[in-house]
Amino acid sequence: GYELVRYPEKDKTMIKELLDFKKSIDLIISQAFKDNDKFIISMKKGFEKFINMRQNKPAEMIAKYLDAMLIAGHKGTSSDEELDTNMDKIMVIFRFIYGKDIFEGFYKQNLSKRLLHGKSASVDAEKAMLIKLKQECGPDFTSKLEEMFKDIELSVDLSHTFKEQSQKRLTLDMSVYVLSKANWPTYQCAKVIMPVELSNSLDNFQSYYKSNYSGRTLEWQHSLGHCKLKANFKVSSKELHVSFFQALVLLLFNSTNTITFQKISEITSIGISLLLFFPT
């Protein structure tokens, strides 16, 4: 078993191989030893020992495996029942790991990306997974994860109301997620200079929010934003799905055909290191 988790170059296949290994061991215990309790207990002790010999890596890889599964949804399975069964199999491996707090950190980070970027294949599957984690680890373990869903749901209603009340002033279609800082991963705040049409829209929302929720302060996390841009090429038009920072750079080419790297940084106030490695 230790051979499945000890080599970093096999991290990408670790969880799949652990699931296959567990299936084969279960089959042996069932067919050869008639599900003898002593063999089942020994198997559980063995799994718990070798999985945790490599510190917290298995916890991280379980979170990543679930992330891929919840993004793929039905693309990776034939039905809701099969997806639910696969999540149950993962929970069996999850029970063996010691670093459940490490898992929670990676799971929260991945969940935030799925929620904010609309990558979840199924909200029902997401909530089913939370129920399984709550049953295994208790309500405290999943409380902040559940609050993340509430933030998204409330933000959808908030954005809808804002659009209805601000139709005449809006120059673009904008949705805003208002997140409770205590429930979400910590993000580095980056201040940027943006075109007037963007800054005006943000100012409009800020004014609307303050008028309805006095005493609260908004802190814009531009690194989490994403945009849809319509690009007009000679042959045809294309819709580009890009990060907020990428959008700021592309919009500069509305007024010029060429621009230096240094000038982009000066106009947008995006640091050189951030320009080199855009968050996606």
Side-chain angles (χ1 to χ4, degrees):
Y2 182 48
E3 297 297 313
L4 302 178
V5 300
R6 68 181 297 187
Y7 299 111
E9 59 269 23
K10 296 185 68 177
D11 284 349
K12 290 184 178 180
T13 60
M14 179 197 298
I15 305 305
K16 178 65 169 62
E17 292 183 0
L18 283 173
L19 290 170
D20 291 341
F21 182 55
K22 177 67 166 57
K23 182 179 179 180
S24 65
I25 295 297
D26 287 345
L27 189 63
I28 292 171
I29 293 176
S30 174
Q31 294 185 351
F33 301 103
K34 307 301 180 184
D35 287 324
N36 181 276
D37 288 343
K38 291 183 178 179
F39 280 98
I40 292 174
I41 292 171
S42 296
M43 177 273 293
K44 290 180 178 178
K45 287 182 178 179
F47 265 83
E48 185 174 327
K49 182 176 181 179
F50 79 74
I51 281 181
N52 291 290
M53 288 180 73
R54 193 168 163 217
Q55 297 184 338
N56 297 313
K57 197 63 180 181
E60 176 187 348
M61 299 317 297
I62 289 174
K64 289 184 177 180
Y65 191 88
L66 281 170
D67 182 51
M69 181 186 296
L70 291 166
I71 289 174
H74 289 166
K75 293 178 183 177
T77 62
S78 58
S79 64
D80 289 337
E81 290 75 16
E82 185 179 349
L83 181 60
D84 192 68
T85 299
N86 289 340
M87 289 192 288
D88 285 336
K89 291 177 181 178
I90 292 294
M91 289 304 299
V92 173
I93 303 298
F94 174 77
R95 292 187 186 104
F96 296 130
I97 64 172
Y98 294 152
K100 290 183 172 60
D101 56 334
I102 301 298
F103 166 86
E104 192 266 346
F106 280 103
Y107 191 87
K108 180 191 284 188
Q109 192 74 44
N110 293 334
L111 175 61
S112 71
K113 292 179 180 179
R114 294 197 300 273
L115 292 179
L116 295 175
H117 296 168
K119 290 184 176 181
S120 292
S122 166
V123 174
D124 289 339
E126 291 279 5
K127 292 188 175 182
M129 189 64 227
L130 284 188
I131 290 172
K132 295 179 190 299
L133 291 171
K134 180 187 282 189
Q135 290 171 342
E136 183 65 29
C137 303
D140 289 344
F141 188 84
T142 58
S143 61
K144 291 186 177 180
L145 302 176
E146 290 170 323
E147 289 298 323
M148 290 168 70
F149 277 93
K150 290 181 182 179
D151 282 349
I152 295 297
E153 291 165 0
L154 290 172
S155 293
V156 170
D157 294 336
L158 182 66
S159 288
H160 179 71
T161 306
F162 166 67
K163 289 176 183 178
E164 283 188 335
Q165 297 184 13
S166 311
Q167 282 183 348
K168 294 181 180 179
R169 289 178 290 151
L170 290 178
T171 57
L172 50 83
D173 186 12
M174 180 181 74
S175 296
V176 178
Y177 292 124
V178 179
L179 315 177
S180 302
K181 186 178 289 188
N183 300 324
W184 291 73
T186 301
Y187 303 106
Q188 185 177 357
C189 185
K191 294 184 178 181
V192 295
I193 300 171
M194 62 190 78
V196 174
E197 58 268 29
L198 287 178
S199 60
N200 284 347
S201 296
L202 267 60
D203 290 342
N204 286 336
F205 182 85
Q206 184 123 353
S207 298
Y208 165 79
Y209 188 81
K210 284 186 176 181
S211 66
N212 287 275
Y213 302 93
S214 59
R216 298 186 185 181
T217 302
L218 290 178
E219 182 180 78
W220 295 100
Q221 295 289 349
H222 299 304
S223 63
L224 302 179
H226 55 280
C227 301
K228 292 181 183 178
L229 300 180
K230 183 179 180 182
N232 296 314
F233 299 101
K234 290 182 178 180
V235 178
S236 63
S237 297
K238 300 291 184 181
E239 188 176 82
L240 307 179
H241 294 243
V242 296
S243 73
F244 186 78
F245 291 155
Q246 290 170 334
L248 292 184
V249 172
L250 289 172
L251 288 172
L252 296 178
F253 291 91
N254 281 339
S255 56
T256 184
N257 290 325
T258 59
I259 188 170
T260 65
F261 194 77
Q262 185 65 39
K263 196 67 176 176
I264 291 174
S265 179
E266 291 174 4
I267 294 175
T268 62
S269 195
I270 300 174
I272 298 295
S273 60
L274 206 51
L275 283 173
L276 289 170
F277 302 101
F278 273 128
T280 57

